[in-house]
Amino acid sequence: MAEVVIAESREVASALAAEAILHQIRSKPKFTLGVATGDTPVAMYRDLASLAEEFGIDLQNLNAFALDEYVGLEPTDPRSFSSALQENFVKVLGLDPAQLHVPQVAACNLSTSGRDFERSIAAAGGIDLQILGIGSNGHIGFNEPGSSLASRTRVTMLADTTRRDNAVFFAESEDVPQHSVSQGIGTILEARHLVLLAFGVKKESAIAAAIEGPVTSACPGSAIQLHPWVTVFLDRESANSLQEKDYYLGAWENKMESLSWRLSP
Ligand code: GLP
């Protein structure tokens, strides 16, 4: 079962997730981190930067791989995941832009992009820790409901619900791309450790389905149940529909200090 931490707020959950991630980074000098876009991890990336500075953890040897990228946007387009990660992750952590790898989405690369991306992940020694968000429809990366649980990095089609959810970043809802290149569910499951973050009432049913529902391609997030090492950070709202709360850690009432991944100087 996943280790599930339910914090009183998204701020507390983000800071705890940053500690869990840095605890791993500190233990391995050349660390490969899988990074997610969306609003959810943005505050956690800021916490990673400040805690790394506070605890003197060097991030200069970090290698980062994005989960996914829209097809049809230039990498320099501010709406692309490449730009978002340069802004919210690379700059915030003071990394070299070359430390971040994003799937190629130019038309001429599409047929080989997935295979090439998987090769670069393998050449980096595999992903040590993959950060994940979850879509309101249960997607992880851009693996929409119906995606094979064995899928690899490939071109995927975005669900209508996802295009509606992501329309806030585009002037017109029709501008939201129809396709992405996304790590597959099988690819994601090969990361050594998965760290999933979800906040707010909009994620409540996707989280209940992913953590406590059946493992099914109807909820791609439920694939985390197949992984031997998963840590989930939630706020109270996103955790609201979970039934087995007795098995989870309430960050506001438990003694969190003794957890193995808390940072100590
Ligand atoms: C996006 C991305 C996912 C992300 C999810 C949730 O479209 N493809 O990787 O985790 O949807 O986004 P948010 O964190 O903004 O809710």
Side-chain angles (χ1 to χ4, degrees):
M1 189 176 91
E3 178 180 36
V4 181
V5 179
I6 306 173
E8 60 189 318
S9 68
R10 63 182 69 199
E11 290 77 16
V12 173
S14 297
L16 287 168
E19 273 198 61
I21 293 166
L22 282 173
H23 189 268
Q24 297 303 318
I25 294 177
R26 181 151 76 171
S27 70
K28 188 176 176 194
K30 226 176 162 329
F31 198 85
T32 304
L33 184 66
V35 287
T37 42
D39 277 342
T40 308
V42 171
M44 188 273 289
Y45 292 142
R46 285 198 294 267
D47 292 333
L48 273 184
S50 52
L51 286 166
E53 191 175 332
E54 182 182 340
F55 288 92
I57 300 168
D58 184 10
L59 302 175
Q60 296 318 305
N61 289 317
L62 199 68
N63 227 338
F65 285 85
L67 261 182
D68 47 14
E69 178 59 291
Y70 286 122
V71 172
L73 301 180
E74 293 293 326
T76 50
D77 186 313
R79 300 164 303 177
S80 73
F81 285 171
S82 186
S83 294
L85 285 168
Q86 287 294 342
E87 199 58 34
N88 298 322
F89 174 73
V90 170
K91 252 194 213 161
V92 168
L93 271 72
L95 306 180
D96 181 331
Q99 286 174 262
L100 172 71
H101 311 273
V102 180
Q104 296 294 310
V105 290
C108 59
N109 294 324
L110 279 186
S111 60
T112 52
S113 170
R115 190 195 61 202
D116 292 348
F117 199 65
E118 299 250 347
R119 280 187 184 158
S120 5
I121 291 175
I127 290 178
D128 291 304
L129 185 154
Q130 177 65 55
I131 298 164
L132 293 172
I134 190 165
S136 61
N137 65 355
H139 75 222
I140 49 173
F142 269 135
N143 296 285
E144 299 287 17
S147 300
S148 161
L149 301 185
S151 51
R152 310 301 308 183
T153 307
R154 70 210 182 287
V155 175
T156 76
M157 207 172 82
L158 273 56
D160 285 347
T161 45
T162 301
R163 295 187 66 238
R164 276 197 296 276
D165 285 349
N166 291 5
V168 287
F169 302 107
F170 294 81
E172 303 288 339
S173 54
E174 309 84 81
D175 296 345
V176 183
Q178 306 266 8
H179 295 93
S180 82
V181 174
S182 176
Q183 284 191 39
I185 299 174
T187 319
I188 291 169
L189 291 177
E190 280 173 8
R192 292 176 192 100
H193 183 189
L194 302 180
V195 171
L196 172 68
L197 290 89
F199 308 138
V201 66
K202 219 176 153 194
K203 302 294 171 73
E204 183 183 336
S205 51
I207 280 300
I211 297 175
E212 294 179 344
V215 176
T216 165
S217 64
C219 176
S222 66
I224 64 170
Q225 296 177 41
L226 298 171
H227 195 284
W229 187 15
V230 183
T231 315
V232 183
F233 292 91
L234 306 172
D235 61 358
R236 291 194 204 215
E237 288 76 22
S238 59
N240 205 29
S241 287
L242 290 172
Q243 301 297 311
E244 307 294 342
K245 291 216 180 67
D246 287 354
Y247 293 103
Y248 309 142
L249 296 167
W252 70 94
E253 57 193 21
N254 279 78
K255 289 215 173 309
M256 300 295 286
E257 289 76 17
S258 57
L259 286 171
S260 60
W261 42 261
R262 299 305 302 272
L263 290 175
S264 47

